[in-house]
Amino acid sequence: MNAFMQHLIIIPILLPLIASAAMLALNERRRTLKRSISLATAALLVATATALLWSVSQSIDSGPMVYRLGNWPSPFGIVLVADRLSTIMLLLTSILGFTSLFYATARWDQSGPRFHSLFLLLLMGLNGAFLTGDIFNLFVFFEVLLAASYGLILHGSGTEKTSASLHYITINITASLLFLIGVALLYSVAGTLNMADLAVRLANTHSEDLAVLEAGAAILGAAFLVKAGIWPLCFWLPRTYAAAAPPVAAIFAIMTKVGIYIILRLSFLLFGKGAGGAAGFANDWLMYAGLATMAFGTIGLFSARQLSRVAGNYLLVSSGTLLASIGIGGEKLTSAMLFYMISSTLAVSALYLIIEPVQRNADEDDKIEGLLEPVFDDEYIGTAKYQEDEDEVGVVIPGTIAILGGGFIFCALLLAGLPPLSGFIAKFAIIDALFGNVVIAPPHWTMIGLLILSGLATMMVMTRAGIDLLWTPGEDSPAHLSIIEVTPIALLLSVCLGLMVAAGPVMLFMEATTNALYNPADYIRNAGPVPEPLPIEIRSAPPAESVAPIAINPNMIGTGASPL
Amino acid sequence: MEIVLSLAIGVLTASGLWLLFRPRTFQVILGLALLSYAVNLFIIASGRLRLDAPPIIGKSAEVDPSAFADPLPQALVLTAIVISFATTALLLVVLLASRGLTGTDHVDGEDGEL
């Protein structure tokens, strides 16, 4: 059992890789086989993530589980680390992956070749990014997930997608270059790229190296903040996500959270309490930029005339909320923020899935123009004439409309954070944590105001769209809605419902996660360098050439001034 | 050595950034290529500059690490080169598709005044 659990950590990376490679060899016409392989893989990923989450939450004292690739000792080999934070992200990814794939089998996977391979590669990159304990390995997994996402954005082709993806790819390549510069600067200061080892070494940084270290961390952070969609690096996000196919946009909802996750991980590990001179680095920057992102997203919500833009702008609001919470800090706020992250990601993903069926339901004219028209009076000119034709007293609500409307209202409540759903619990916890501070500073008030205002904006925009698309009676009978499309939406929303019902235990889990983040000693002990002297059996395990890096690494890096 | 390398990185970065902000897709791609060269050189520099020092140690038991160059940045650069090569190739394909679909090579897909 123990040995099996030990190898379970590598499964979320290997499984999608193998399945995706196998599907490349299959002919595109064997659609059913491909669908079953990828759905089975996604379901297995959910099971693996659940098992990992369960075993991590069981082992309270022993700290995170660590998997040494090739059994190389820690600072020389690459480690995978499964702690509470990474396993909860894994579970979130796999749930979104399963529901989006399920939805895609309705018809979206047929609009271009190799959808399933690309999708599983994206899942592999996401899982790897959440699990890795090495910064350069993180870069590699980032590139895997980005390369897959380039393909997925383009899936289905068309002018809008091509032109949006041109911007998306350019921005992400530039961000990757920033990532590399940041990695190089960190390496030149610390001489290691293992996250736990970095935490130890950076704590003892000489003061003359501090400037290089902070510059490196800032450049690295900028690369992640582009992914997280912080203002002013976020203008690409709503347009790109709106151009993508619905199931693709639904899984992309987690891509902004990769950036957040890494910032959370690195800021606590490298710049936490024990970090010496650089402790608390850039927290103020994160806070103000997060607040600006929330404000920008809220304005974007008001100005959005298409539901897909609404969802994109809501992603900005949630990114801003998360970043501002990281910047303000405090254990209570951090655990509330983690709860918010899970809830809002699930809700946005459900919204991206429900947008297309809801809009399909509207008339062709409405679909194009209805949402582009102004908000008041004249908006209903086009639809008023339908009401004249209306001779029935009571309009029978068709089943499709009822299901869609119910799901839509559910989404709206979740996103806006109205009681009693999990969105409300999350926002309430954040506000409660902000009021819990001894001194409530102006930025805290600003954040509370923006949180409430953005909820109001979401509610207004969703109500407007709901009236337009669902209430206004149309001429035609409602479009066909397949069970394949309803099931994933229902699944996502029921997970949110579960979050609401089990809010207590989930919150306790988040508090334990936060506690582990604030006290990274366990993480460093398990994932960090093996204490000297190296045990003899580890030294003899790898092949003969392996002696070289062990001998060369520690003394290689001078502590003197950088030549850069 | 140091001055040559830093000049090379600086010139490549400056030209790369300038091209990146141009309105034509082809210029943007060239800019990204130049920038990635600059970044690759920069990674090499992060392992300290050494002349005539091999990065690989033989099998002899006792070696003096100070006689060797740091092998890790060289491995990182290899990975970075491969990845940036692949993404640039992909971007070229998207560029051609965009040119075919919109009829212009402007980055926004429509010609503004130039």
Side-chain angles (χ1 to χ4, degrees):
Chain A
M1 179 63 190
N2 205 12
F4 173 72
M5 287 310 270
Q6 195 62 44
H7 288 289
L8 205 59
I9 304 182
I10 191 82
I11 298 289
I13 297 170
L14 277 189
L15 189 65
L17 178 64
I18 293 168
S20 146
M23 271 191 289
L24 282 179
L26 290 175
N27 194 307
E28 277 300 312
R29 263 170 291 174
R30 309 186 67 175
R31 203 173 288 143
T32 324
L33 182 61
K34 285 198 166 194
R35 282 176 179 172
S36 5
I37 292 178
S38 61
L39 274 178
T41 311
L44 275 175
L45 284 180
V46 176
T48 316
T50 316
L52 275 175
L53 185 69
W54 180 80
S55 73
V56 166
S57 60
Q58 290 303 303
S59 59
I60 299 161
D61 300 323
S62 55
M65 290 157 63
V66 174
Y67 188 85
R68 293 174 214 290
L69 294 174
N71 213 11
W72 286 69
S74 185
F76 311 118
I78 288 168
V79 290
L80 301 179
V81 187
D83 65 349
R84 285 160 193 270
L85 182 60
S86 50
T87 48
I88 194 87
M89 296 309 287
L90 273 188
L91 186 60
L92 189 61
T93 311
S94 56
I95 290 173
L96 292 191
F98 181 76
T99 48
S100 307
L101 260 182
F102 199 102
Y103 186 92
T105 56
R107 65 194 170 94
W108 296 100
D109 59 342
Q110 296 168 34
S111 55
R114 281 169 282 282
F115 176 83
H116 291 287
S117 292
L118 284 172
F119 198 95
L120 289 183
L121 278 180
L122 179 69
L123 288 185
M124 173 212 162
L126 286 166
N127 289 341
F130 289 133
L131 280 174
T132 185
D134 180 280
I135 292 191
F136 197 76
N137 198 223
L138 177 69
F139 170 74
V140 174
F141 279 122
F142 249 93
E143 289 303 318
V144 170
L145 81 88
L146 285 175
S149 78
Y150 302 154
L152 284 174
I153 284 269
L154 285 164
H155 178 77
S157 67
T159 312
E160 173 67 11
K161 282 182 179 135
T162 313
S163 128
S165 68
L166 193 63
H167 294 190
Y168 176 74
I169 298 175
T170 311
I171 284 166
N172 276 301
I173 292 180
T174 316
S176 300
L177 294 175
L178 286 178
F179 193 152
L180 284 174
I181 296 175
V183 166
L185 282 173
L186 275 188
Y187 183 77
S188 72
V189 174
T192 179
L193 289 173
N194 177 298
M195 290 185 198
D197 199 18
L198 264 180
V200 178
R201 297 209 193 178
L202 290 189
N204 311 315
T205 313
H206 290 261
S207 53
E208 65 260 33
D209 283 344
L210 212 56
V212 181
L213 164 66
E214 292 192 344
I219 293 175
L220 199 60
F224 302 130
L225 289 172
V226 170
K227 265 92 180 175
I230 200 173
W231 184 86
L233 306 173
C234 60
F235 304 117
W236 57 275
L237 195 147
R239 178 163 176 245
T240 310
Y241 283 30
V248 174
I251 188 71
F252 276 20
I254 192 124
M255 297 240 298
T256 55
K257 272 62 186 181
V258 183
I260 307 264
Y261 163 83
I262 301 294
I263 285 168
L264 199 60
R265 168 76 75 211
L266 290 186
S267 63
F268 280 108
L269 206 52
L270 305 188
F271 304 111
K273 277 180 292 188
F281 169 70
N283 273 355
D284 281 352
W285 282 91
L286 275 184
M287 180 177 75
Y288 288 116
L291 291 176
T293 313
M294 286 173 78
F296 180 78
T298 310
I299 296 169
L301 276 177
F302 277 126
S303 69
R305 286 281 178 272
Q306 286 159 305
L307 268 179
S308 45
R309 294 287 174 113
V310 170
N313 281 301
Y314 184 80
L315 269 179
L316 293 185
V317 171
S318 78
S319 277
T321 312
L322 296 169
L323 290 170
S325 309
I326 297 175
I328 292 172
E331 293 206 19
K332 219 174 154 192
L333 185 57
T334 309
S335 47
M337 168 218 127
L338 289 173
F339 191 94
Y340 177 81
M341 174 152 76
I342 308 295
S343 162
S344 70
T345 310
L346 288 168
V348 169
S349 186
L351 179 63
Y352 269 121
L353 292 184
I354 210 169
I355 285 173
E356 206 275 336
V358 166
Q359 287 184 337
R360 188 192 312 157
N361 228 14
D363 284 341
E364 283 301 310
D365 300 339
D366 269 9
K367 193 157 86 183
I368 315 297
E369 286 161 4
L371 283 166
L372 297 170
E373 280 173 14
V375 189
F376 301 109
D377 300 336
D378 47 346
E379 192 168 4
Y380 299 104
I381 289 175
T383 46
K385 64 174 181 287
Y386 301 141
Q387 281 161 0
E388 288 162 18
D389 302 337
E390 210 66 51
D391 45 3
E392 289 175 82
V393 180
V395 182
V396 181
I397 300 179
T400 318
I401 296 280
I403 294 173
L404 281 179
F408 194 77
I409 291 172
F410 209 126
C411 270
L413 289 180
L414 269 174
L415 292 170
L418 289 186
L421 299 177
S422 58
F424 169 73
I425 299 174
K427 281 198 176 181
F428 187 82
I430 291 181
I431 293 175
D432 180 54
L434 283 171
F435 274 126
N437 291 330
V438 185
V439 184
I440 306 177
H444 300 179
W445 283 114
T446 318
M447 182 166 175
I448 293 168
L450 280 171
L451 254 186
I452 293 169
L453 195 66
S454 65
L456 180 70
T458 316
M459 203 62 229
M460 285 168 61
V461 172
M462 293 291 278
T463 313
R464 201 173 71 201
I467 289 173
D468 251 8
L469 295 168
L470 293 166
W471 266 14
T472 325
E475 278 173 329
D476 309 320
S477 59
H480 176 69
L481 181 69
S482 78
I483 189 81
I484 301 178
E485 287 166 332
V486 176
T487 317
I489 300 171
L491 262 175
L492 283 175
L493 294 180
S494 57
V495 174
C496 285
L497 208 61
L499 271 182
M500 178 197 88
V501 175
V506 174
M507 213 60 189
L508 279 180
F509 181 86
M510 295 306 176
E511 276 165 18
T513 310
T514 311
N515 195 24
L517 276 178
Y518 273 82
N519 304 297
D522 279 344
Y523 186 98
I524 293 169
R525 175 168 46 84
N526 285 13
V530 181
E532 313 265 340
L534 286 169
I536 220 70
E537 65 273 11
I538 293 178
R539 204 191 269 271
S540 61
E545 302 91 281
S546 68
V547 186
I550 297 176
I552 201 167
N553 202 300
N555 305 319
M556 215 48 244
I557 309 309
T559 45
S562 158
L564 305 176
Chain B
M1 176 75 179
E2 278 84 357
I3 192 78
V4 172
L5 188 76
S6 34
L7 269 178
I9 295 175
V11 169
L12 280 174
T13 312
S15 353
L17 275 179
W18 190 76
L19 283 173
L20 188 62
F21 296 138
R22 301 268 80 208
R24 298 287 172 197
T25 45
F26 188 65
Q27 293 167 316
V28 169
I29 287 194
L30 280 189
L32 283 174
L34 289 186
L35 271 178
S36 74
Y37 297 151
V39 169
N40 291 341
L41 287 176
F42 187 79
I43 299 177
I44 285 282
S46 78
R48 305 295 183 272
L49 299 176
R50 296 288 302 272
L51 284 176
D52 300 331
I56 298 170
I57 297 177
K59 284 184 180 174
S60 57
E62 289 300 320
V63 282
D64 176 18
S66 61
F68 293 88
D70 191 351
L72 192 68
Q74 309 195 4
L76 302 188
V77 164
L78 267 182
T79 318
I81 288 173
V82 173
I83 288 175
S84 74
F85 186 69
T87 43
T88 309
L90 178 72
L91 190 54
L92 266 174
V93 175
V94 178
L95 178 158
L96 286 176
S98 167
R99 173 75 177 77
L101 284 167
T102 61
T104 166
D105 63 347
H106 194 276
V107 285
D108 289 333
E110 52 194 43
D111 258 320
E113 71 269 36
L114 289 165

